[in-house]
Amino acid sequence: MSTTQTPAATVEVLAKDCNDNGTVFCPNPKMALWSNHPRVFIDLSHGGQGQCPYCGTAYKLKAGEVVGGHH
């Protein structure tokens, strides 16, 4: 029997969805109340992606989006 887990969701975000320092927070406002965990900030300013250490949700910038003041 396989012990492979279903991958967590991937959320594509726009640069405007990020805080001034290039972070987003998880859980995000669209998540169900039952899945809440302590709020953590995920840095997307280096590499354009990151993952929540609690629930495994991956966050990535939509193609062509840039954060951190670089246009």
Side-chain angles (χ1 to χ4, degrees), residues 11-39:
V11 178
E12 278 194 331
V13 296
L14 301 174
K16 68 178 185 169
D17 298 327
C18 296
N19 295 312
D20 290 341
N21 60 358
T23 62
V24 293
F25 62 85
C26 189
N28 67 62
K30 294 180 182 177
M31 290 181 160
L33 204 52
W34 58 264
S35 67
N36 281 344
H37 53 67
R39 179 179 281 192

